[in-house]
Amino acid sequence: ILGGVSRTPSVTAPSGSRSVNTYGASWGTDFQYEFIRNVTLGTINNTSVGSQYTDYYNSQNASVTRGSQYTLSITIDPAQDGNQEFIYAWFDWNNDATFDTSTEQVIINQNTGVAGPHSVNITIPSNANLGKTRFRITNKWGSYPAPTGSFTYGEVEDYAITIEKQSGMTYVSNSVLQTTKPIAVNSSNQ
Protein backbone atom coordinates (compact mmCIF):
# COMPACT_ATOMS: atom_id res chain seq x y z
CA ILE A 1 0.00 0.00 0.00
CA LEU A 2 1.40 3.34 -1.06
CA GLY A 3 -0.37 6.55 -0.13
CA GLY A 4 -3.42 4.57 0.95
CA VAL A 5 -3.67 2.88 -2.45
CA SER A 6 -2.98 -0.82 -2.99
CA ARG A 7 -0.33 -1.49 -5.63
CA THR A 8 0.12 -4.70 -7.62
CA PRO A 9 3.68 -5.66 -8.58
CA SER A 10 4.34 -5.85 -12.30
CA VAL A 11 6.85 -7.61 -14.51
CA THR A 12 9.05 -4.49 -14.56
CA ALA A 13 8.67 -3.79 -10.82
CA PRO A 14 7.98 -7.19 -9.25
CA SER A 15 8.49 -6.39 -5.57
CA GLY A 16 9.86 -3.93 -3.05
CA SER A 17 9.52 -0.20 -2.83
CA ARG A 18 10.10 2.05 -5.76
CA SER A 19 11.19 5.65 -5.72
CA VAL A 20 10.58 8.29 -8.33
CA ASN A 21 13.35 10.79 -9.00
CA THR A 22 11.98 14.19 -8.10
CA TYR A 23 14.34 17.13 -8.16
CA GLY A 24 14.12 20.08 -5.80
CA ALA A 25 12.39 23.01 -7.42
CA SER A 26 14.18 26.22 -8.35
CA TRP A 27 12.88 29.43 -9.91
CA GLY A 28 13.35 33.16 -10.17
CA THR A 29 10.32 35.20 -9.18
CA ASP A 30 11.19 38.15 -11.48
CA PHE A 31 12.84 37.36 -14.82
CA GLN A 32 11.96 40.63 -16.57
CA TYR A 33 15.49 42.06 -16.47
CA GLU A 34 17.72 38.97 -16.50
CA PHE A 35 17.01 35.65 -18.10
CA ILE A 36 18.56 32.84 -20.16
CA ARG A 37 18.46 33.47 -23.92
CA ASN A 38 20.25 30.37 -25.25
CA VAL A 39 21.71 27.08 -24.03
CA THR A 40 23.99 25.06 -26.31
CA LEU A 41 25.49 21.66 -25.44
CA GLY A 42 26.07 18.92 -28.04
CA THR A 43 22.90 18.72 -30.14
CA ILE A 44 21.00 21.09 -27.81
CA ASN A 45 20.76 24.62 -29.18
CA ASN A 46 17.75 26.12 -27.42
CA THR A 47 16.76 29.77 -27.61
CA SER A 48 14.13 30.96 -25.15
CA VAL A 49 12.41 34.20 -24.14
CA GLY A 50 12.54 33.94 -20.35
CA SER A 51 10.30 32.65 -17.59
CA GLN A 52 10.61 31.80 -13.90
CA TYR A 53 11.40 28.15 -14.68
CA THR A 54 11.19 25.99 -17.80
CA ASP A 55 11.56 22.22 -17.90
CA TYR A 56 13.05 21.16 -21.25
CA TYR A 57 13.96 17.69 -19.92
CA ASN A 58 11.62 15.85 -22.31
CA SER A 59 12.21 18.06 -25.36
CA GLN A 60 15.92 18.98 -25.28
CA ASN A 61 18.35 16.05 -24.89
CA ALA A 62 21.98 15.61 -25.97
CA SER A 63 23.83 12.30 -26.09
CA VAL A 64 27.26 12.47 -24.46
CA THR A 65 30.01 9.92 -23.87
CA ARG A 66 31.85 9.16 -20.64
CA GLY A 67 35.34 10.66 -20.64
CA SER A 68 34.60 13.04 -23.54
CA GLN A 69 34.67 16.82 -23.43
CA TYR A 70 31.85 19.10 -24.59
CA THR A 71 31.41 22.87 -24.72
CA LEU A 72 28.50 24.31 -22.75
CA SER A 73 27.56 27.83 -23.90
CA ILE A 74 25.02 30.08 -22.23
CA THR A 75 23.78 33.42 -23.52
CA ILE A 76 21.80 35.62 -21.12
CA ASP A 77 19.86 38.84 -21.19
CA PRO A 78 21.68 40.67 -18.39
CA ALA A 79 20.37 43.46 -16.17
CA GLN A 80 21.55 46.89 -17.20
CA ASP A 81 22.87 47.87 -13.75
CA GLY A 82 26.34 46.37 -13.68
CA ASN A 83 28.20 43.12 -13.42
CA GLN A 84 26.01 41.14 -11.09
CA GLU A 85 24.88 38.11 -13.09
CA PHE A 86 25.88 34.64 -11.84
CA ILE A 87 25.52 31.75 -14.30
CA TYR A 88 25.81 28.22 -12.89
CA ALA A 89 25.03 24.68 -14.03
CA TRP A 90 24.55 21.40 -12.18
CA PHE A 91 24.78 17.96 -13.78
CA ASP A 92 23.29 14.98 -11.93
CA TRP A 93 26.14 12.60 -12.83
CA ASN A 94 25.00 9.85 -10.44
CA ASN A 95 21.29 10.27 -11.31
CA ASP A 96 20.19 10.46 -7.67
CA ALA A 97 17.77 13.39 -8.17
CA THR A 98 20.00 15.85 -6.32
CA PHE A 99 22.57 18.34 -7.52
CA ASP A 100 25.71 18.04 -5.39
CA THR A 101 27.40 21.43 -5.11
CA SER A 102 30.84 19.89 -4.58
CA THR A 103 30.90 17.32 -7.42
CA GLU A 104 28.14 18.30 -9.86
CA GLN A 105 28.35 22.10 -9.96
CA VAL A 106 29.85 24.06 -12.86
CA ILE A 107 30.53 27.78 -12.57
CA ILE A 108 29.97 29.28 -16.00
CA ASN A 109 30.49 32.93 -15.08
CA GLN A 110 30.24 35.21 -12.05
CA ASN A 111 29.73 38.95 -11.64
CA THR A 112 29.17 39.51 -15.35
CA GLY A 113 27.05 42.06 -17.14
CA VAL A 114 27.77 40.71 -20.63
CA ALA A 115 25.24 38.74 -22.65
CA GLY A 116 27.82 36.24 -23.85
CA PRO A 117 27.90 33.54 -24.97
CA HIS A 118 29.64 32.32 -21.82
CA SER A 119 31.35 28.99 -22.51
CA VAL A 120 33.01 26.30 -20.42
CA ASN A 121 34.30 22.85 -21.29
CA ILE A 122 32.57 19.99 -19.51
CA THR A 123 34.24 16.57 -19.24
CA ILE A 124 31.77 13.75 -18.66
CA PRO A 125 33.06 11.76 -15.65
CA SER A 126 34.22 8.24 -16.49
CA ASN A 127 32.05 6.94 -13.62
CA ALA A 128 28.88 8.90 -14.52
CA ASN A 129 25.74 6.76 -14.44
CA LEU A 130 24.69 5.63 -17.91
CA GLY A 131 21.36 6.76 -19.28
CA LYS A 132 19.26 9.89 -19.26
CA THR A 133 19.80 12.42 -16.49
CA ARG A 134 19.01 16.04 -15.76
CA PHE A 135 21.12 19.17 -15.84
CA ARG A 136 20.07 22.61 -14.63
CA ILE A 137 21.13 26.10 -15.74
CA THR A 138 20.57 29.09 -13.46
CA ASN A 139 21.09 32.77 -14.19
CA LYS A 140 20.75 34.76 -10.95
CA TRP A 141 21.28 38.44 -10.31
CA GLY A 142 23.19 39.65 -7.27
CA SER A 143 24.69 36.52 -5.69
CA TYR A 144 25.69 32.89 -6.06
CA PRO A 145 22.76 30.62 -6.94
CA ALA A 146 21.92 27.34 -5.24
CA PRO A 147 20.68 24.35 -7.25
CA THR A 148 17.26 24.50 -5.56
CA GLY A 149 15.01 27.14 -4.03
CA SER A 150 13.56 30.43 -5.16
CA PHE A 151 15.29 33.76 -5.60
CA THR A 152 14.17 37.20 -6.70
CA TYR A 153 15.86 38.01 -10.03
CA GLY A 154 16.74 35.50 -12.76
CA GLU A 155 15.70 32.27 -14.39
CA VAL A 156 16.16 28.49 -14.22
CA GLU A 157 16.03 25.96 -17.06
CA ASP A 158 16.35 22.16 -16.89
CA TYR A 159 17.62 19.97 -19.73
CA ALA A 160 18.57 16.32 -20.33
CA ILE A 161 21.69 14.49 -21.36
CA THR A 162 21.92 10.80 -22.15
CA ILE A 163 25.25 9.44 -20.96
CA GLU A 164 26.72 6.64 -23.06
CA LYS A 165 29.77 4.50 -22.40
CA GLN A 166 32.93 4.83 -24.41
CA SER A 167 33.31 2.43 -27.29
CA GLY A 168 35.94 -0.27 -26.99
CA MET A 169 37.69 0.99 -30.11
CA THR A 170 40.44 3.56 -29.97
CA TYR A 171 41.60 5.43 -33.05
CA VAL A 172 45.38 5.13 -33.30
CA SER A 173 46.44 6.01 -36.83
CA ASN A 174 45.29 6.12 -40.42
CA SER A 175 48.51 4.54 -41.72
CA VAL A 176 49.80 0.97 -41.70
CA LEU A 177 53.40 -0.04 -41.21
CA GLN A 178 54.44 -3.48 -42.35
CA THR A 179 57.24 -4.86 -40.20
CA THR A 180 57.63 -8.38 -41.61
CA LYS A 181 58.39 -9.75 -45.01
CA PRO A 182 55.35 -10.27 -47.21
CA ILE A 183 53.89 -13.75 -47.28
CA ALA A 184 53.47 -15.22 -50.74
CA VAL A 185 50.90 -17.85 -51.55
CA ASN A 186 52.42 -21.34 -51.55
CA SER A 187 55.57 -20.01 -49.94
CA SER A 188 57.39 -21.10 -46.85
CA ASN A 189 58.19 -17.45 -46.04
CA GLN A 190 61.91 -18.04 -45.65
Side-chain angles (χ1 to χ4, degrees), residues 33-62:
Y33 298 109
E34 47 272 315
F35 56 88
I36 300 165
R37 280 206 180 272
N38 182 273
V39 173
T40 302
L41 174 67
T43 57
I44 296 171
N45 185 356
N46 187 53
T47 299
S48 58
V49 294
S51 67
Q52 293 178 322
Y53 167 80
T54 306
D55 187 354
Y56 292 110
Y57 180 80
N58 290 315
S59 64
Q60 299 287 330
N61 183 13

Side-chain angles (χ1 to χ4, degrees), residues 19-181:
S19 63
V20 176
N21 283 352
T22 55
Y23 288 81
S26 185
W27 68 96
T29 57
D30 185 346
F31 59 90
Q32 180 179 2
Y33 298 109
E34 47 272 315
F35 56 88
I36 300 165
R37 280 206 180 272
N38 182 273
V39 173
T40 302
L41 174 67
T43 57
I44 296 171
N45 185 356
N46 187 53
T47 299
S48 58
V49 294
S51 67
Q52 293 178 322
Y53 167 80
T54 306
D55 187 354
Y56 292 110
Y57 180 80
N58 290 315
S59 64
Q60 299 287 330
N61 183 13
S63 292
V64 297
T65 304
R66 284 178 173 169
S68 295
Q69 188 176 79
Y70 299 86
T71 301
L72 171 64
S73 294
I74 311 297
T75 303
I76 62 169
D77 186 54
Q80 301 304 313
D81 58 354
N83 299 329
Q84 299 185 44
E85 303 291 338
F86 292 78
I87 310 164
Y88 279 50
W90 295 269
F91 289 82
D92 189 10
W93 301 126
N94 59 1
N95 207 7
D96 67 349
T98 61
F99 296 114
D100 187 315
T101 57
S102 63
T103 60
E104 298 176 327
Q105 178 174 282
V106 176
I107 299 170
I108 300 164
N109 207 333
Q110 304 181 99
N111 290 320
T112 186
V114 178
H118 305 276
S119 299
V120 294
N121 289 323
I122 307 287
T123 300
I124 310 305
S126 59
N127 63 344
N129 280 13
L130 298 176
K132 189 175 179 182
T133 193
R134 185 173 299 265
F135 75 96
R136 175 168 290 170
I137 306 295
T138 297
N139 176 43
K140 181 182 178 188
W141 179 85
S143 65
Y144 306 102
T148 59
S150 69
F151 51 92
T152 305
Y153 300 109
E155 181 185 13
V156 178
E157 293 181 354
D158 280 0
Y159 292 86
I161 54 173
T162 299
I163 301 170
E164 300 171 348
K165 65 181 177 177
Q166 292 175 309
S167 70
M169 295 178 57
T170 303
Y171 177 78
V172 177
S173 173
N174 64 352
S175 63
V176 176
L177 178 63
Q178 185 175 357
T179 58
T180 61
K181 295 190 306 184

